[in-house]
Amino acid sequence: MAPEILLDYRPLWAVLISLVAAVLILFTGERRSNLREAWTLIAAFGKVAIVFSMLPLVLGGQVIEIAPIHVAQGITLQLRVDTAGMLFAALASFLWVITSFYSIGYMRGHHEKHQTGYFASFAVCLSATMGIAFSANLLTFFVFYELLTIATYPLVIHKRNAEAIKSGRKYLAYTLISGQLFLIAIIWTYITVGNGDFLAGGFLTLEHGSAGLLGLMFLLMTVGAAVKAGVMPFHGWLPDAMVAPTPVSALLHAVAVVKAGAFGILRVVGYVFGPELLGQIGAAEVLAWFAAFTIIVSSLIAMNQDNLKRRLAFSTVGQLSYVVLGISLLTPLGFLGGMYHIIAHAFMKITLFFCAGAIYVTTHKENISEMHGIGRRMPITIAAYTIASFGIAGVPFIVGFISKWNIALGALQGGYALYVVVLIASAMLASTYLLPLAYLGFFKKSDKFTEYGEARKDMLIPIVITAVLSVVLGILPNFGANFYDLATMAAQSIVQSIELVGGGW
Amino acid sequence: MREQLPALIVVVPLLASLVAPLVAYFSTALVRLVAIAAILVANISAIGSLTHALTKGNWHYHFGDWAPPWGIELVIDPLAGAIAVLISFVSLVVVIYAGPYLKEDGWLKKGIFYSLFALLTTGLLGMVVTGDVFNLYVFLEISSLAGYALIASGGNKAVVAAFRYLLIGTIGASFYLLGIGYLYAVTGTLNMVDLAEKLPLLMDSPAVIIAIVMLVVGLGTKMALFPLHGWQPDAYTYSHPAAAAFIAGVMGKVPAYAAIRFFFFIMGAATGPVYKALQIMGWLAAAGIIIGSLMAIAQKDFRRMLAYSSVAQIGYVVVGLAIGNSLALIGAVLHIINHAIMKSCLFLVAGGIQWRTGNVSVEKFAELNKKMPLTMGALVIAALSMVGLPPTAGFFSKWYLVLGAIEADMWFYVVVIIISSLLNAVYFFRVIENIYMKKASEEAKDKDKDKGKGMFELPLQMLVPIVVLGLGILVLGILNEPIVSQVIQFVIPGGGQ
């Protein structure tokens, strides 16, 4: 069942629109800030329109490609929209619109400096994310992957103080070194196979080398991607990168950047090596162990963090490993659950980060121990926080449940009951580290927060939207962008069978 | 005129060099125009010759209609054409940039500067287009002499640096001369095509082996291959700031080009003594890559840091030759082109900063982005390209080099190149951190002998070249396919893939 290929330049426009916006933002500058923000919004709406205009085609089983840009024989840059790419692109472009409003509110409400560079870098990050989602081969993927690394750097060091510089260095050290390892593996693949075009189900086979060599190649590639996905022990940069302004943490460190890592693992597992080969060489199992370890340990660390953003960061580390775990199970429902968790976690975690930012801008509090009774002052924000927390803990009828349910079924499909235990334990841990704030906020009395004083409207509305969507998607997983169908189709194409044994949601 | 294009590449800048001081005596504005026009003509001629070589095959031009092997022959093949275009282009950009730097100088200084600059251009272009190994020596000496003088005109420290370079450079050139002397002794010819026909039968003769050793030492010295690089950091650092970009960007590359000519076109590197010589050069280059990068990290002077980085980067080219398969050769030639553009861009930026603020120390670069946002943008692009991050030009030369190394199973070089990228990241991101994140101290603000107070950016004559090269890095990165497929594939002797 070869999908129909459609030649169309929309993927390229989706990548370029925010790049153009970044240039316009830089040249508009600080003085005409309204015009500058207009560029961000125009690009955000334009991007989401372009991406969603391709959605029906992809759902109809078509694959959209641009004509390849040849670099040399066998080495091409190419964009292609398939189901998995569409899933990630639709998510990131949609959340960028919401984050843009929130960003403007946050940056203005907080009187941040260097706003021009901030919005420009943000736009470049989104271009890179689209590029990652739509890359048709390993080289293109790597180009955008490194672009994302560089474009995120100015955001991490946004505060320009010693702490930010230190975090920036740490971030670069982790990402650049892993990027170079990734590069070696990519070039190696090109030498062995002749090209690096992603193919659902993988294009490497045992004919391309011994199990040991392929295992080493897999290791290099996954390390490259796992650093961005924050899989332990490569997670060190992520909590430190939380010195960035909160919208950055929200969109980039919960959605775009870290998910680019998780998406990279999906591409490597599902589209380069393929479940069959990985089953033969047993390399994915190692990845699953790391992911399971990360899920438990990061939750334990999260419990000890008083700084809200750091706590959320460790929660992100753990949640991303759900995605990695789901993928590395190599079972149909594992893939489905892993991919849907990219969506689910994005909506929930962005809500949580938005809340943390709203609290910070409104009350200048960063630590949970200082937030007693905050629910009286900011009831809507804390209510949204509570919903998202329940979602992360995996309560039914919130989006997180659907993905976890599928990952658990995927684990049983593969005969790994142990991972189900890990998932349950992690759900409990999540409620112990996320819910205390909701409890303290609503039920503890404090004389600090007596009067009602919510966050600015341009911050509050995005919070409500993402919180509501977390619930809606929990009941109707296909709402809006048919994310569930996309994930199902992608999982089917990777395991190359129509039936997803079991049935999922 | 069309059939004389190859001669124009060399003759026009040479004439400009001769008349420059005289013109300067009458009008200092005119001498600038003469120099720019002459280099522009050379550039256009080079482009014309390259097109001819690409469409109609190699162009053999007999000087004064004397047929080789007696007369001098210019040979424009795609490789020579491309490098000639590169040299004349960088030269053109830098000569435009030099304007504001010379503003306060008298007619004599201006005349001499433009004269030497045109002479250096002549020498480098001549080395590339000639088809005669002795002629190459002559042009090598022309370019070296002009280079010594341009470096010496940079001020007090520059005189010492230039004298040191003069001594070492002359010894290097002498080795080269001895090398071709041996070749002449065994073959009786100096013409490259002729040599290429006669040498294969003689490759095992001791004289040829000695010639190879002499060439390695001679060309190695001129291209500053580790450990023959001692002259280079001082020379690049203290040379005349208006010419530094040309000297640092291009002067080291032309001997590397000559090495490709000798080892791959004239002698054939697949087997025999050349192969062994290249292996030794490869090991030296690998050591140079690591040591040059480490030394660059230790530098405070921006220009010196760039100079040590050049020691490392020329190593990439030589590593490409040592690997020796077609992918690695593509990488090596592409890196000659890319690195010339990147390093020139960086030295132009360094010169711009020096012109504007008088600072050369990286630690004093704080908040330069406010004064010169576009220049700093170009610096960031060039820095990313030096690190080898996509989609800049530097990534693609690295890509081909690593491809070649993995194909040849030479994992040692893969490791060296990757480590070097990371070391590059260390010292370039330090510069970026200093510029964008440090707060300028009050003291620095007071002492600021800012030449263009309140002015946005550098003067246009300086800014445009910087921006052109900065964008050039991106263009070369994304659109390197025509260069690789049309030009560089002919590099591999026999026109391989």
Side-chain angles (χ1 to χ4, degrees), chain A residues 70-73 75 139 142-143 146 150 153 157 160 165 169 172 176-177 180 183-184 187-188 190-191, chain B residues 384 389-391 395-396 398-400 402-403 406-407 411 418 422 425 429 433 436-437 480-481 497:
Chain A
H70 290 282
V71 180
Q73 283 102 334
I75 301 176
L139 174 65
F142 185 73
V143 168
E146 291 291 87
I150 296 305
Y153 175 68
I157 56 155
R160 308 285 201 273
I165 291 177
R169 284 185 188 160
L172 282 180
L176 287 180
I177 292 175
Q180 295 304 312
L183 177 63
I184 295 178
I187 296 178
W188 196 356
Y190 271 82
I191 286 290
Chain B
L384 294 182
L389 293 174
F395 170 70
F396 287 95
K398 196 171 84 177
W399 169 270
Y400 284 109
V402 177
L403 268 180
I406 294 183
E407 195 189 53
W411 287 89
I418 296 299
L422 295 172
F429 273 102
E433 259 184 19
Y436 286 91
M437 275 178 279
N480 64 47
E481 194 267 339
Q497 291 297 299

Side-chain angles (χ1 to χ4, degrees), chain A residues 348 352 384-395 398 430-431 434-435 438:
Chain A
M348 299 182 298
L352 293 175
Y385 176 91
T386 311
I387 292 174
S389 301
F390 277 124
I392 297 269
V395 171
I398 302 175
S431 38
L434 285 174
L435 288 174

